[in-house]
Amino acid sequence: MRRNQVAVVGAAETTKLGVIPDMSQIQLHADAALNAIADAGLKLSDIDGIATAVETPQQIAHYLGIKPTWADGTSVGGCSFMLHVRHAAAAIEAGLCKTVLITHAESGKSMIGKQPRYTPPSSLNGQFEAPFGVYGPPSMFPIPVLRYMKTHGITHEQIAMVAVVQREWAAKNPRATMKDPITVADVLNSRMIAYPFRLLQCCLVTDGGGALILTSADRAKDFPQKPVYILGTGESVETPMVSQMETFNSSRAFRTAGPLAFKEAGITHKDVDHLMIYDAFAHLPLFGLGDLGFMPHEETGKFIADGNTRPGGKLPLNTNGGGLSYMHSGMYGMYALQESVRQMRGIAPAQVPGAKISVCHGVGGMFAASGTIIFTNER
Amino acid sequence: MAEAARARPVPTPETQHFWEGTRAGELRLQRCDACEHVYFPPRPFCPSCASRKVSVFPATGKATLYSYVINHRPPAPGFTPPYAIAVVELEEGPRMMTNIIDCPQTPEALDLDMRLEVAFQKLDEEITLPLFRPAKG
């Protein structure tokens, strides 16, 4: 895909984030979508492309009253929205549609109008993982951690620092769910969830949603918001079974998606002003820093523990507080994208001064899928 | 009583040989006749070279501990926390998820790369699960 041909011209989250017991999941989609449409100064009838995950495009199009000529229901977990951005950019460039709405919402906490997740007992996951006591992401996502730590010489304290640093960012964000400062000792003394991970190393469970509107870069200058251009994109999938990852020392999906996006963007790691790495659990930023090529995996723990990703550090990471402290409704990729867009617009609560390039990297499932979007505010 | 609620696998035509194997006390893997790739989970073709000529063979049941979590909460139905959910690396190469039995469910006892051997646990008349325990000797 060519650089900077497509731009984000509308971006918004749900009016409220956190606990929203008075809205069903599909209404959260609509709330975010209507906010994004207003942000872009558009009418519903201007939208001719729709992408969403978990809910189907037809559910969201019908509920909102949109008549699309292009739809994408890619649903690969929490990074689905990175893939939607990539697919939408290609579709707009190919002339299949002009203005795409991407929505996410999840009533993750209140569970209003949310279908329960189900693993069929005849699926490979149902036959070869479920019988051994996996039960939700906290029991599965951290399974690679001990191997990663042993191979790369990462310590428990270094991984705890991921949560500490992200709380520092969250403290600057009025919409963050958790803002009180925490220490490494707080993390390592919090309630055990699935050794080696404790409560403060696991994401929040909240309600909320977000929506993006994309159009061609040539049209973007006529919109009310500062355009945020798509500079590079990448995606991949590996396996739905965490036990069947090629290795626990790295993520193949990350290693594929990240470098694709960097190559397409034509940038080096030194060019990156702002970075988002989907942090459903505290080890993901370490995997991301290594697999996206910022540094060898052996250095990721020390890099974060030394403060390089905290406010004022040389590589601002997860500046909204992340899934650990900002919010996590179940598929956090949309919120990482929202923060990258805010940073590129220059309106983030914890704005990185002068940031011009933002890398936004997402994970789906338990390292099952990955999507990377690189944004810029310069064309 | 608790064991009755443990998630129960439902075999498909492609995985039948595996579950027949565990019932007979064998851990059955597949090897590609064309490229010799050994793989898991079961399927009637080689995921490395796409050949449909593959053979089923009994594994040694020897493995090492690749990684694990010790799950505290929320526990899966049929499990009493804390319990380890492990991924083991079989001597033949493939990895599989399992539980480690006859071993304290603690970080001290569960040492990465420790040697393990398969132990079959009957769930009901049709399903026997392949679990692993510390290797003897």
Side-chain angles (χ1 to χ4, degrees), chain A residues 301-340:
Chain A
K302 184 172 189 303
F303 185 79
I304 287 175
D306 286 351
N308 290 297
T309 60
R310 66 170 28 142
K314 66 181 177 188
L315 186 58
L317 170 66
N318 292 343
T319 50
N320 58 355
L324 297 178
S325 287
Y326 179 59
M327 79 86 69
H328 193 295
S329 54
M331 294 170 73
Y332 167 85
M334 174 57 79
Y335 308 97
L337 291 165
Q338 295 286 336
E339 174 66 7
S340 280

Side-chain angles (χ1 to χ4, degrees), chain A residues 148 152 238 245 247-260 262 269 277 283-298 300 361 363 367 370 372:
Chain A
Y148 185 88
H152 299 305
E238 184 179 352
M245 289 173 69
T247 169
F248 284 176
N249 297 324
S250 150
S251 157
R252 194 182 81 199
F254 282 22
R255 289 200 314 275
T256 306
L260 265 176
F262 273 83
H269 295 84
I277 299 175
H283 56 313
L284 289 168
L286 278 64
F287 274 75
L289 286 171
D291 286 332
L292 267 60
F294 282 93
M295 64 203 66
H297 283 286
E298 289 75 10
T300 57
H361 179 74
V363 68
F367 293 111
S370 183
T372 312

Side-chain angles (χ1 to χ4, degrees), chain B residues 95-131:
Chain B
R95 296 191 197 113
M96 60 192 303
M97 189 174 281
T98 188
N99 301 119
I100 309 299
I101 59 169
D102 300 340
C103 180
Q105 305 291 290
T106 63
E108 294 72 29
L110 293 163
D111 203 14
L112 288 200
D113 301 314
M114 69 191 285
R115 292 186 306 114
L116 303 165
E117 62 188 23
V118 72
F120 295 100
Q121 183 171 304
K122 185 174 172 180
L123 209 56
D124 56 34
E125 287 308 310
E126 189 188 5
I127 297 295
T128 294
L129 294 174
L131 306 184

Side-chain angles (χ1 to χ4, degrees), chain A residues 46 139 163 189 254:
Chain A
D46 295 321
S139 66
N189 290 316
F254 282 22

Side-chain angles (χ1 to χ4, degrees), chain B:
Chain B
M1 244 342 254
E3 286 300 321
R6 185 174 181 143
R8 184 186 180 281
V10 172
T12 59
E14 297 78 22
T15 65
Q16 198 67 44
H17 69 268
F18 181 86
W19 295 112
E20 284 170 5
T22 55
R23 205 160 62 223
E26 276 187 7
L27 187 66
R28 292 179 184 165
L29 294 175
Q30 286 167 303
R31 181 188 289 114
C32 175
D33 295 343
C35 78
E36 299 190 346
H37 179 57
V38 177
Y39 62 90
F40 176 86
R43 69 207 93 165
F45 61 91
C46 171
S48 184
C49 77
S51 169
R52 290 173 187 260
K53 292 199 171 69
V54 297
S55 301
V56 173
F57 71 98
T60 61
K62 292 179 182 169
T64 54
L65 182 57
Y66 186 57
S67 201
Y68 66 91
V69 294
I70 303 172
N71 199 39
H72 286 247
R73 65 186 313 281
F79 284 80
T80 306
Y83 62 94
I85 304 167
V87 173
V88 299
E89 186 165 292
L90 302 176
E91 190 175 57
E92 293 81 4
R95 296 191 197 113
M96 60 192 303
M97 189 174 281
T98 188
N99 301 119
I100 309 299
I101 59 169
D102 300 340
C103 180
Q105 305 291 290
T106 63
E108 294 72 29
L110 293 163
D111 203 14
L112 288 200
D113 301 314
M114 69 191 285
R115 292 186 306 114
L116 303 165
E117 62 188 23
V118 72
F120 295 100
Q121 183 171 304
K122 185 174 172 180
L123 209 56
D124 56 34
E125 287 308 310
E126 189 188 5
I127 297 295
T128 294
L129 294 174
L131 306 184
F132 284 77
R133 64 178 165 228
K136 294 187 180 77

Side-chain angles (χ1 to χ4, degrees), chain A residues 185-198:
Chain A
D186 291 336
V187 176
L188 296 179
N189 290 316
S190 62
R191 194 170 69 207
M192 187 65 86
I193 301 294
Y195 176 86
F197 276 4
R198 294 168 181 271

Side-chain angles (χ1 to χ4, degrees), chain A residues 17 169-179 320 326 347-350:
Chain A
L17 286 181
W169 285 109
K172 298 171 173 290
N173 190 337
R175 270 165 70 89
T177 304
M178 306 295 276
K179 301 187 197 65
N320 58 355
Y326 179 59
I347 59 164

Side-chain angles (χ1 to χ4, degrees), chain A residues 133-330:
Chain A
V134 296
Y135 200 59
S139 66
M140 287 186 271
F141 223 151
I143 287 176
V145 173
L146 290 176
R147 172 56 56 183
Y148 185 88
M149 291 174 72
K150 181 169 180 173
T151 300
H152 299 305
I154 306 289
T155 67
H156 291 282
E157 289 75 14
Q158 287 171 339
I159 302 184
M161 271 299 282
V162 172
V164 171
V165 169
Q166 290 193 198
R167 189 61 65 84
E168 292 176 14
W169 285 109
K172 298 171 173 290
N173 190 337
R175 270 165 70 89
T177 304
M178 306 295 276
K179 301 187 197 65
D180 295 339
I182 51 172
T183 64
V184 166
D186 291 336
V187 176
L188 296 179
N189 290 316
S190 62
R191 194 170 69 207
M192 187 65 86
I193 301 294
Y195 176 86
F197 276 4
R198 294 168 181 271
L199 183 67
L200 293 177
Q201 291 163 306
C202 305
C203 65
L204 305 165
V205 179
T206 57
D207 304 326
L212 293 169
I213 295 172
L214 276 66
T215 194
S216 69
D218 291 338
R219 290 179 71 210
K221 62 183 182 304
D222 300 327
F223 283 74
Q225 305 295 347
K226 180 177 180 175
V228 177
Y229 302 102
I230 314 294
L231 184 61
T233 63
E235 69 184 274
S236 190
V237 294
E238 184 179 352
T239 165
M241 307 170 75
V242 67
S243 64
Q244 299 305 314
M245 289 173 69
E246 204 170 79
T247 169
F248 284 176
N249 297 324
S250 150
S251 157
R252 194 182 81 199
F254 282 22
R255 289 200 314 275
T256 306
L260 265 176
F262 273 83
K263 189 178 176 201
E264 188 172 283
I267 62 165
T268 69
H269 295 84
K270 287 198 178 85
D271 298 322
V272 177
D273 301 310
H274 172 250
L275 177 60
M276 297 297 290
I277 299 175
Y278 186 143
D279 58 320
F281 293 87
H283 56 313
L284 289 168
L286 278 64
F287 274 75
L289 286 171
D291 286 332
L292 267 60
F294 282 93
M295 64 203 66
H297 283 286
E298 289 75 10
E299 296 172 16
T300 57
K302 184 172 189 303
F303 185 79
I304 287 175
D306 286 351
N308 290 297
T309 60
R310 66 170 28 142
K314 66 181 177 188
L315 186 58
L317 170 66
N318 292 343
T319 50
N320 58 355
L324 297 178
S325 287
Y326 179 59
M327 79 86 69
H328 193 295
S329 54

